């Protein structure tokens, strides 16, 4: 059964963006004349997602105001607030009471993707416990190294591996299709030294326990918008796509 529901993690501060997020939450930063979050919602709706739970935190009222004033067509929205920013696993768990039984797609409010990636992710999850979007990099030391077998099933996820130690080019790109099987792994997490509970660690534990997760290479562009430089690169790409200079 294909997922028709999504969770969007949009609670973070975006400290590396400096003054750009002093008064604007990161998911509302503009790309090609529209907030990043609206690009994501459009892409999810185009891929077949019908409802989304948006987890807000930092400047969350701005996000609620923006989406209630001009709700995106084709997708129903619910909002939950993460009062204490305790990491992405705790944020995802807040959406749990609002999810129907069955699979769900989770994505980050600061990731910009072409719509084709979401469609590919949803398609690959059929017949498996889930699917994880991955992107090729020279060295996944800054994210999470994703190891796969010959059938492109995830065999191991290593968070923040030391530079030069990974034997895989695949990095955890963030978005994933998951199921209710995830929650025991979230509940079993230990906090990181900074007090946060991170969703990729729960996913790594699930893989280790034998859950079948398919790796899905990014289709088209992928931008993790965490710095002014990555924001500017995403803006240039979004403008080119809007102007017809980039084709799916």
């Amino acid at each position: 059964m294909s997922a028709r529901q999504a969770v969007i993690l949009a609670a973070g501060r975006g400290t590396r963006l400096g003054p750009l997020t002093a008064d604007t939450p990161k998911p509302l930063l503009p790309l090609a004349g529209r907030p990043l979050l609206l690009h994501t919602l459009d892409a999810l709706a185009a891929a077949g997602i019908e409802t989304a739970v948006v987890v807000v935190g930092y400047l969350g009222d701005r996000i609620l105001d923006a989406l209630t004033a001009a709700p995106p067509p084709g997708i129903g929205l619910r909002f939950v607030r993460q009062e204490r920013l305790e990491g992405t696993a705790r944020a995802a768990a807040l959406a749990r009471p609002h999810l129907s039984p069955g699979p769900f797609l989770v994505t980050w409010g600061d990731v910009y993707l072409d719509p084709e990636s979401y469609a590919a992710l949803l398609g690959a999850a059929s017949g498996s416990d889930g699917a994880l979007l991955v992107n090729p990099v020279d060295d996944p030391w800054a994210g999470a190294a994703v190891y796969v077998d010959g059938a492109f099933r995830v065999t191991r996820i290593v968070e923040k591996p030391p530079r030069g130690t990974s034997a895989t080019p695949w990095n955890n790109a963030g978005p994933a299709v998951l199921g209710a099987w995830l929650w025991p792994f979230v509940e079993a997490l230990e906090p990181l030294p900074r007090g946060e509970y991170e969703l990729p660690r729960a996913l790594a534990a699930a893989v280790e326990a034998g859950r079948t997760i398919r790796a899905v290479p990014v289709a088209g562009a992928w931008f993790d918008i965490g710095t002014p430089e990555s924001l500017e690169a995403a803006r240039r790409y979004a403008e080119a796509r809007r102007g017809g200079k980039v084709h799916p």
Side-chain angles (χ1 to χ4, degrees):
M1 181 174 61
S2 179
R4 291 289 181 263
Q5 56 188 342
V7 177
I8 302 176
L9 306 179
R13 166 70 171 83
T15 53
R16 290 181 297 160
L17 286 159
L20 292 171
T21 54
D23 300 309
T24 302
K26 186 161 47 169
L28 293 186
L29 291 172
L31 275 73
R34 304 181 71 231
L36 167 61
L37 187 53
L38 285 181
H39 287 280
T40 299
L41 289 166
D42 286 347
L44 291 173
I49 295 295
E50 297 170 354
T51 61
V53 182
V54 184
V55 184
V56 301
Y58 174 71
L59 296 179
D61 288 341
R62 301 282 183 91
I63 296 175
L64 268 65
D65 291 346
L67 293 183
T68 53
I75 189 166
L77 299 179
R78 287 177 175 247
F79 299 94
V80 295
R81 191 182 298 271
Q82 189 178 25
E83 299 290 352
R84 296 175 59 190
L85 299 185
E86 295 180 311
T88 53
R90 290 285 177 93
L94 291 173
R96 184 180 179 183
H98 304 286
L99 295 173
S100 302
F104 59 93
L105 186 151
V106 61
T107 190
W108 270 244
D110 57 357
V111 169
Y112 176 78
L113 292 166
D114 284 333
E116 295 77 23
S117 282
Y118 287 118
L121 187 64
L122 290 165
S126 180
S128 300
D129 291 321
L132 175 66
L133 202 67
V134 295
N135 62 304
V137 295
D138 291 334
D139 184 347
W141 67 271
V146 180
Y147 290 81
V148 301
D149 64 13
F152 238 66
R153 292 182 295 253
V154 178
T155 60
R156 189 162 59 110
I157 301 173
V158 181
E159 284 283 318
K160 299 289 191 298
R163 284 181 188 262
T165 62
S166 297
T168 175
W170 298 109
N171 174 65
N172 178 0
V177 175
L178 308 170
W181 51 261
L182 172 74
W183 304 122
F185 296 101
V186 168
E187 293 162 0
L189 283 174
E190 295 291 335
L192 294 172
R194 61 181 183 274
E196 294 185 347
Y197 300 78
E198 294 298 345
L199 189 58
R201 290 180 176 269
L203 187 55
V207 169
E208 187 174 348
R211 287 289 172 177
T212 302
I213 310 296
R214 294 198 176 276
V216 181
V218 165
W222 174 85
F223 295 95
D224 179 5
I225 299 175
T227 65
E229 293 77 17
S230 59
L231 174 61
E232 183 56 32
R235 283 175 169 167
R236 289 195 301 269
Y237 181 87
E239 289 285 357
R241 186 177 175 102
R242 183 174 67 169
K245 299 176 182 177
V246 174
H247 300 282

Coordinates of all heavy atoms in Angstrom, one line a residue, residues 90-170:
R90 N 11.8 13.0 18.3 CA 10.7 13.5 19.2 C 9.7 14.3 18.4 O 8.5 14.3 18.6 CB 11.3 14.3 20.3 CG 12.1 13.5 21.3 CD 11.1 12.7 22.2 NE 11.8 11.8 23.2 CZ 12.1 12.2 24.4 NH1 11.9 13.4 24.8 NH2 12.7 11.3 25.2
A91 N 10.2 15.1 17.4 CA 9.3 15.9 16.5 C 8.4 14.9 15.7 O 7.1 15.2 15.7 CB 10.1 16.8 15.6
A92 N 8.9 13.9 15.1 CA 8.1 13.0 14.4 C 7.1 12.3 15.2 O 5.9 12.1 14.8 CB 9.0 11.9 13.7
A93 N 7.4 11.9 16.5 CA 6.5 11.3 17.4 C 5.3 12.1 17.7 O 4.2 11.6 18.0 CB 7.3 10.8 18.6
L94 N 5.5 13.4 17.7 CA 4.3 14.3 18.0 C 3.3 14.2 16.9 O 2.1 14.5 17.2 CB 4.8 15.8 18.1 CG 5.7 16.1 19.2 CD1 6.2 17.6 19.1 CD2 4.9 16.0 20.5
A95 N 3.6 13.8 15.7 CA 2.7 13.7 14.6 C 1.9 12.3 14.7 O 0.9 12.2 14.1 CB 3.4 13.8 13.3
R96 N 2.4 11.4 15.5 CA 1.9 10.0 15.6 C 0.4 10.0 15.8 O -0.3 9.3 15.1 CB 2.6 9.2 16.6 CG 2.2 7.8 16.7 CD 3.0 7.1 17.8 NE 2.6 5.7 17.9 CZ 3.2 4.8 18.8 NH1 4.1 5.2 19.6 NH2 2.8 3.6 18.8
P97 N -0.2 10.8 16.7 CA -1.7 10.7 17.0 C -2.5 11.1 15.8 O -3.7 10.8 15.7 CB -1.9 11.6 18.2 CG -0.5 11.7 18.8 CD 0.4 11.6 17.7
H98 N -1.9 11.9 14.9 CA -2.6 12.4 13.7 C -2.5 11.6 12.5 O -3.0 11.9 11.4 CB -2.2 13.8 13.5 CG -2.3 14.7 14.7 ND1 -3.5 15.2 15.1 CD2 -1.4 15.2 15.5 CE1 -3.3 16.0 16.2 NE2 -2.0 16.0 16.5
L99 N -1.8 10.5 12.6 CA -1.5 9.6 11.4 C -2.5 8.5 11.4 O -2.9 7.9 12.4 CB -0.1 9.1 11.4 CG 1.0 10.1 11.3 CD1 2.4 9.4 11.5 CD2 1.0 10.8 9.9
S100 N -3.0 8.1 10.2 CA -3.8 6.9 10.0 C -3.0 5.7 10.0 O -1.8 5.8 9.8 CB -4.6 7.0 8.7 OG -5.4 8.2 8.7
P101 N -3.6 4.5 10.3 CA -2.8 3.3 10.1 C -2.2 3.2 8.7 O -2.8 3.6 7.8 CB -3.8 2.2 10.4 CG -4.9 2.8 11.2 CD -4.9 4.3 10.7
G102 N -1.0 2.6 8.6 CA -0.4 2.5 7.3 C 0.9 3.3 7.2 O 1.3 4.0 8.1
P103 N 1.5 3.2 6.1 CA 2.8 3.9 5.9 C 2.6 5.4 5.8 O 1.6 5.9 5.5 CB 3.3 3.4 4.6 CG 2.1 2.9 3.8 CD 1.2 2.4 4.9
F104 N 3.7 6.1 6.1 CA 3.7 7.6 6.0 C 5.1 8.0 5.5 O 6.1 7.4 5.7 CB 3.4 8.3 7.3 CG 4.4 7.9 8.4 CD1 5.5 8.7 8.7 CD2 4.1 6.8 9.2 CE1 6.3 8.4 9.7 CE2 5.0 6.5 10.2 CZ 6.1 7.3 10.5
L105 N 5.1 9.1 4.8 CA 6.3 9.7 4.3 C 6.8 10.8 5.3 O 5.9 11.6 5.7 CB 6.2 10.3 2.9 CG 7.4 10.9 2.2 CD1 7.2 10.7 0.7 CD2 7.7 12.3 2.5
V106 N 8.0 10.8 5.6 CA 8.5 11.9 6.5 C 9.6 12.7 5.7 O 10.4 12.1 5.0 CB 9.1 11.4 7.8 CG1 10.3 10.4 7.6 CG2 9.5 12.5 8.7
T107 N 9.5 14.0 5.8 CA 10.5 14.8 5.1 C 10.9 16.0 6.0 O 10.2 16.3 7.0 CB 10.0 15.3 3.7 OG1 11.1 15.9 3.0 CG2 8.9 16.3 3.8
W108 N 11.9 16.7 5.6 CA 12.4 17.8 6.4 C 12.0 19.2 5.8 O 11.9 19.3 4.6 CB 13.9 17.8 6.4 CG 14.5 17.0 7.6 CD1 15.3 17.5 8.6 CD2 14.4 15.6 7.8 NE1 15.7 16.5 9.4 CE2 15.1 15.3 9.0 CE3 13.7 14.5 7.2 CZ2 15.2 14.0 9.6 CZ3 13.8 13.3 7.7 CH2 14.5 13.0 8.9
G109 N 11.7 20.1 6.6 CA 11.2 21.4 6.1 C 12.3 22.3 5.5 O 12.0 23.3 4.9
D110 N 13.6 21.8 5.6 CA 14.7 22.6 5.0 C 15.4 21.8 3.9 O 16.5 22.1 3.5 CB 15.7 22.9 6.1 CG 16.3 21.7 6.8 OD1 15.8 20.6 6.5 OD2 17.1 21.9 7.7
V111 N 14.7 20.8 3.3 CA 15.2 20.1 2.1 C 14.4 20.5 0.9 O 13.2 20.4 0.9 CB 15.1 18.6 2.4 CG1 15.4 17.8 1.1 CG2 16.1 18.2 3.5
Y112 N 15.1 20.8 -0.2 CA 14.4 21.1 -1.4 C 14.7 20.0 -2.4 O 15.9 19.7 -2.7 CB 14.9 22.5 -2.0 CG 14.3 22.8 -3.3 CD1 13.0 23.3 -3.5 CD2 15.1 22.7 -4.5 CE1 12.5 23.6 -4.7 CE2 14.6 22.9 -5.7 CZ 13.3 23.4 -5.8 OH 12.7 23.7 -7.1
L113 N 13.7 19.4 -3.0 CA 13.8 18.3 -3.9 C 12.9 18.6 -5.1 O 11.9 19.3 -5.1 CB 13.3 17.0 -3.3 CG 14.1 16.4 -2.2 CD1 13.3 15.3 -1.5 CD2 15.4 15.8 -2.7
D114 N 13.3 18.0 -6.3 CA 12.4 17.9 -7.4 C 11.3 17.0 -7.0 O 11.5 16.0 -6.3 CB 13.1 17.4 -8.6 CG 14.0 18.5 -9.3 OD1 13.7 19.7 -9.1 OD2 15.0 18.2 -9.9
P115 N 10.1 17.2 -7.5 CA 8.9 16.3 -7.2 C 9.2 14.8 -7.6 O 8.6 13.9 -6.9 CB 7.8 16.9 -8.1 CG 8.1 18.3 -8.3 CD 9.6 18.3 -8.4
E116 N 10.0 14.6 -8.6 CA 10.3 13.2 -9.0 C 10.9 12.4 -7.9 O 10.7 11.1 -7.9 CB 11.2 13.2 -10.3 CG 10.6 13.8 -11.5 CD 10.6 15.4 -11.5 OE1 11.4 16.0 -10.7 OE2 9.8 16.0 -12.2
S117 N 11.6 13.0 -7.0 CA 12.2 12.2 -5.9 C 11.2 11.6 -5.0 O 11.3 10.5 -4.5 CB 13.2 13.0 -5.2 OG 14.4 13.2 -5.8
Y118 N 10.2 12.4 -4.7 CA 9.1 12.0 -3.8 C 8.3 10.8 -4.4 O 8.0 9.8 -3.8 CB 8.2 13.1 -3.4 CG 8.8 14.0 -2.4 CD1 9.0 15.4 -2.7 CD2 9.2 13.6 -1.1 CE1 9.6 16.3 -1.8 CE2 9.8 14.5 -0.2 CZ 10.0 15.8 -0.6 OH 10.5 16.7 0.3
A119 N 8.0 10.9 -5.7 CA 7.3 9.9 -6.4 C 8.1 8.6 -6.5 O 7.6 7.5 -6.2 CB 7.0 10.3 -7.9
A120 N 9.4 8.7 -6.7 CA 10.3 7.5 -6.7 C 10.4 6.9 -5.3 O 10.4 5.6 -5.2 CB 11.7 7.9 -7.2
L121 N 10.4 7.7 -4.3 CA 10.5 7.2 -2.9 C 9.2 6.4 -2.6 O 9.3 5.3 -2.0 CB 10.7 8.3 -2.0 CG 10.9 8.0 -0.5 CD1 12.3 7.3 -0.3 CD2 11.0 9.3 0.3
L122 N 8.1 7.0 -2.9 CA 6.8 6.3 -2.6 C 6.7 5.0 -3.4 O 6.2 4.0 -2.9 CB 5.6 7.2 -2.9 CG 5.5 8.4 -2.0 CD1 4.6 9.5 -2.6 CD2 5.0 8.0 -0.6
G123 N 7.1 5.0 -4.6 CA 7.0 3.8 -5.4 C 7.9 2.7 -4.9 O 7.5 1.5 -4.9
A124 N 9.1 3.0 -4.5 CA 10.1 2.0 -4.0 C 9.7 1.4 -2.7 O 10.1 0.3 -2.4 CB 11.5 2.7 -3.9
A125 N 8.9 2.1 -1.9 CA 8.5 1.5 -0.6 C 7.5 0.4 -0.7 O 7.4 -0.4 0.2 CB 7.9 2.6 0.2
S126 N 6.8 0.2 -1.8 CA 5.9 -0.9 -2.0 C 6.6 -2.2 -1.9 O 7.6 -2.5 -2.6 CB 5.1 -0.7 -3.3 OG 4.2 -1.7 -3.5
G127 N 6.0 -3.1 -1.1 CA 6.6 -4.4 -0.9 C 7.7 -4.5 0.1 O 8.3 -5.6 0.3
S128 N 8.1 -3.4 0.7 CA 9.2 -3.4 1.7 C 8.6 -2.7 3.0 O 7.5 -2.2 3.0 CB 10.4 -2.6 1.2 OG 10.9 -3.2 0.1
D129 N 9.4 -2.7 4.0 CA 9.0 -2.0 5.3 C 9.1 -0.5 5.1 O 8.4 0.2 5.7 CB 10.0 -2.4 6.4 CG 9.7 -3.8 6.9 OD1 8.6 -4.3 6.9 OD2 10.7 -4.5 7.2
G130 N 9.9 -0.1 4.2 CA 10.1 1.4 3.9 C 11.1 1.7 2.9 O 11.6 0.8 2.2
A131 N 11.4 2.9 2.7 CA 12.3 3.4 1.7 C 13.0 4.6 2.2 O 12.4 5.4 3.0 CB 11.7 3.7 0.4
L132 N 14.3 4.8 1.8 CA 15.1 6.0 2.3 C 15.7 6.6 1.0 O 16.3 5.9 0.2 CB 16.2 5.5 3.2 CG 17.2 6.5 3.7 CD1 16.5 7.6 4.5 CD2 18.3 5.9 4.5
L133 N 15.6 7.9 0.9 CA 16.2 8.7 -0.2 C 17.7 8.8 0.1 O 18.1 9.2 1.3 CB 15.5 10.0 -0.3 CG 15.7 10.7 -1.7 CD1 14.9 9.9 -2.8 CD2 15.1 12.1 -1.7
V134 N 18.5 8.6 -0.9 CA 20.0 8.7 -0.7 C 20.5 9.6 -1.9 O 20.0 9.6 -3.0 CB 20.7 7.4 -0.6 CG1 20.3 6.6 0.6 CG2 20.4 6.5 -1.9
N135 N 21.6 10.2 -1.6 CA 22.3 11.0 -2.7 C 23.8 10.6 -2.7 O 24.4 10.4 -1.6 CB 22.1 12.5 -2.5 CG 22.7 13.0 -1.2 OD1 22.4 12.5 -0.1 ND2 23.6 14.0 -1.3
P136 N 24.4 10.6 -3.8 CA 25.8 10.2 -3.9 C 26.7 11.4 -3.5 O 26.5 12.6 -4.0 CB 26.0 9.8 -5.4 CG 25.0 10.6 -6.1 CD 23.8 10.8 -5.2
V137 N 27.8 11.2 -2.8 CA 28.7 12.2 -2.4 C 30.1 11.6 -2.4 O 30.3 10.4 -2.5 CB 28.4 12.8 -1.0 CG1 27.1 13.5 -0.9 CG2 28.5 11.6 0.1
D138 N 31.1 12.4 -2.4 CA 32.5 11.9 -2.4 C 32.8 11.2 -1.1 O 33.5 10.2 -1.0 CB 33.5 13.1 -2.6 CG 33.4 13.7 -4.0 OD1 33.0 12.9 -4.9 OD2 33.7 14.9 -4.2
D139 N 32.3 11.8 0.0 CA 32.5 11.2 1.4 C 31.4 11.6 2.3 O 31.2 12.8 2.5 CB 33.8 11.7 1.9 CG 34.2 11.1 3.3 OD1 33.4 10.4 3.9 OD2 35.4 11.2 3.7
P140 N 30.6 10.7 2.8 CA 29.4 11.1 3.6 C 29.7 11.4 5.0 O 28.8 11.3 5.9 CB 28.5 9.8 3.5 CG 29.5 8.7 3.3 CD 30.6 9.3 2.5
W141 N 30.8 11.9 5.3 CA 31.2 12.2 6.7 C 30.3 13.3 7.3 O 30.1 13.2 8.6 CB 32.7 12.7 6.7 CG 32.9 14.0 6.1 CD1 33.2 14.3 4.8 CD2 32.8 15.3 6.8 NE1 33.3 15.6 4.6 CE2 33.1 16.3 5.8 CE3 32.5 15.7 8.0 CZ2 33.0 17.6 6.0 CZ3 32.5 17.1 8.3 CH2 32.8 18.0 7.3
A142 N 29.8 14.2 6.6 CA 29.0 15.3 7.2 C 27.6 14.9 7.5 O 26.8 15.6 8.2 CB 29.0 16.5 6.2
G143 N 27.1 13.7 6.9 CA 25.7 13.3 7.1 C 25.7 11.9 7.7 O 26.0 11.7 8.9
A144 N 25.2 11.0 6.9 CA 25.2 9.6 7.4 C 25.5 8.7 6.2 O 24.9 8.8 5.1 CB 23.8 9.2 8.0
A145 N 26.4 7.8 6.4 CA 26.8 6.8 5.3 C 25.8 5.7 5.3 O 25.4 5.1 6.3 CB 28.2 6.2 5.6
V146 N 25.2 5.5 4.1 CA 24.2 4.4 3.9 C 24.8 3.3 3.0 O 25.2 3.5 1.9 CB 22.9 5.0 3.2 CG1 21.9 3.9 3.0 CG2 22.4 6.2 4.0
Y147 N 24.9 2.1 3.6 CA 25.4 1.0 2.9 C 24.2 0.2 2.3 O 23.2 0.0 3.0 CB 26.2 0.1 3.9 CG 27.5 0.8 4.3 CD1 27.6 1.7 5.3 CD2 28.7 0.4 3.7 CE1 28.8 2.3 5.7 CE2 29.9 1.0 4.0 CZ 29.9 2.0 5.0 OH 31.1 2.6 5.4
V148 N 24.4 -0.3 1.1 CA 23.4 -1.1 0.5 C 23.9 -2.4 -0.1 O 25.1 -2.5 -0.3 CB 22.7 -0.3 -0.7 CG1 22.2 1.1 -0.2 CG2 23.8 0.0 -1.8
D149 N 23.0 -3.3 -0.3 CA 23.4 -4.6 -1.0 C 23.1 -4.5 -2.5 O 22.8 -3.5 -3.0 CB 22.7 -5.8 -0.3 CG 21.2 -5.8 -0.5 OD1 20.7 -5.0 -1.4 OD2 20.5 -6.6 0.2
G150 N 23.3 -5.6 -3.2 CA 23.1 -5.7 -4.6 C 21.7 -5.3 -5.1 O 21.5 -4.9 -6.2
A151 N 20.7 -5.5 -4.2 CA 19.3 -5.2 -4.6 C 18.9 -3.8 -4.1 O 17.8 -3.4 -4.1 CB 18.4 -6.2 -4.0
F152 N 19.9 -3.1 -3.6 CA 19.7 -1.7 -3.1 C 18.9 -1.6 -1.9 O 18.1 -0.7 -1.6 CB 19.2 -0.8 -4.2 CG 20.1 0.4 -4.5 CD1 21.4 0.2 -5.0 CD2 19.8 1.7 -4.1 CE1 22.3 1.2 -5.2 CE2 20.6 2.8 -4.3 CZ 21.9 2.5 -4.9
R153 N 19.0 -2.7 -1.1 CA 18.4 -2.7 0.3 C 19.4 -2.1 1.2 O 20.6 -2.4 1.2 CB 18.0 -4.1 0.7 CG 16.8 -4.6 -0.1 CD 16.4 -6.0 0.4 NE 17.5 -6.9 0.2 CZ 17.4 -7.9 -0.7 NH1 16.4 -8.0 -1.5 NH2 18.4 -8.8 -0.8
V154 N 19.0 -1.3 2.2 CA 19.9 -0.7 3.2 C 20.4 -1.8 4.1 O 19.5 -2.5 4.7 CB 19.2 0.5 3.9 CG1 20.2 1.0 5.0 CG2 18.8 1.5 3.0
T155 N 21.7 -1.9 4.3 CA 22.2 -2.9 5.2 C 22.8 -2.3 6.5 O 22.9 -2.9 7.5 CB 23.3 -3.7 4.5 OG1 24.4 -2.8 4.1 CG2 22.8 -4.5 3.3
R156 N 23.1 -1.0 6.4 CA 23.7 -0.3 7.6 C 23.7 1.2 7.3 O 23.8 1.7 6.2 CB 25.2 -0.8 7.7 CG 25.8 -0.3 9.1 CD 27.1 -1.2 9.4 NE 28.1 -1.1 8.3 CZ 29.3 -0.5 8.5 NH1 29.6 0.1 9.6 NH2 30.2 -0.6 7.5
I157 N 23.5 1.9 8.4 CA 23.6 3.4 8.4 C 24.5 3.8 9.5 O 24.4 3.5 10.7 CB 22.2 4.0 8.6 CG1 21.2 3.6 7.6 CG2 22.3 5.6 8.6 CD1 19.8 4.0 7.8
V158 N 25.5 4.6 9.1 CA 26.5 5.1 10.1 C 26.4 6.6 10.1 O 26.8 7.3 9.2 CB 28.0 4.6 9.7 CG1 29.0 5.1 10.7 CG2 28.0 3.1 9.5
E159 N 26.0 7.1 11.3 CA 25.9 8.6 11.4 C 27.3 9.2 11.6 O 28.1 8.8 12.4 CB 25.0 8.9 12.7 CG 23.5 8.7 12.5 CD 22.9 9.8 11.7 OE1 23.3 11.0 12.0 OE2 22.1 9.5 10.8
K160 N 27.5 10.3 10.9 CA 28.7 11.1 11.0 C 29.9 10.3 11.1 O 30.7 10.4 12.1 CB 28.6 12.0 12.3 CG 27.4 13.0 12.3 CD 27.6 14.1 11.3 CE 26.6 15.2 11.5 NZ 25.2 14.9 11.2
P161 N 30.2 9.5 10.1 CA 31.5 8.7 10.1 C 32.7 9.6 10.0 O 32.6 10.7 9.4 CB 31.3 7.8 8.9 CG 30.4 8.6 8.0 CD 29.5 9.3 8.9
P162 N 33.8 9.3 10.6 CA 35.0 10.1 10.4 C 35.4 10.2 8.9 O 35.1 9.3 8.1 CB 36.1 9.3 11.2 CG 35.3 8.5 12.2 CD 34.0 8.1 11.5
R163 N 36.0 11.3 8.6 CA 36.4 11.5 7.2 C 37.2 10.4 6.7 O 38.1 9.9 7.4 CB 37.2 12.8 7.1 CG 36.4 14.1 7.2 CD 37.3 15.3 7.0 NE 36.7 16.6 7.3 CZ 36.3 17.4 6.3 NH1 36.4 17.0 5.0 NH2 35.8 18.6 6.6
G164 N 36.9 10.0 5.5 CA 37.8 9.0 4.8 C 37.6 7.6 5.3 O 38.3 6.7 4.8
T165 N 36.6 7.3 6.1 CA 36.4 5.9 6.6 C 35.3 5.2 6.0 O 35.1 4.0 6.2 CB 36.1 6.0 8.1 OG1 34.9 6.7 8.4 CG2 37.3 6.6 8.9
S166 N 34.4 5.9 5.1 CA 33.3 5.2 4.6 C 33.6 4.5 3.3 O 34.4 5.0 2.4 CB 32.2 6.2 4.3 OG 31.7 6.9 5.5
A167 N 33.0 3.3 3.1 CA 33.2 2.5 1.9 C 32.0 2.5 1.0 O 31.7 1.6 0.2 CB 33.6 1.1 2.3
T168 N 31.2 3.6 1.2 CA 30.0 3.8 0.4 C 29.9 5.2 -0.1 O 30.3 6.1 0.7 CB 28.7 3.4 1.1 OG1 27.5 3.7 0.4 CG2 28.6 4.1 2.5
P169 N 29.4 5.5 -1.3 CA 29.2 6.9 -1.7 C 27.8 7.5 -1.3 O 27.6 8.6 -1.5 CB 29.3 6.8 -3.2 CG 28.8 5.5 -3.5 CD 29.1 4.6 -2.4
W170 N 27.0 6.6 -0.7 CA 25.6 7.0 -0.5 C 25.4 7.7 0.9 O 25.8 7.2 1.9 CB 24.7 5.8 -0.6 CG 24.7 5.2 -1.9 CD1 25.2 4.0 -2.3 CD2 24.2 5.8 -3.1 NE1 25.1 3.8 -3.6 CE2 24.5 4.9 -4.2 CE3 23.5 7.0 -3.4 CZ2 24.1 5.1 -5.5 CZ3 23.2 7.2 -4.8 CH2 23.4 6.3 -5.8

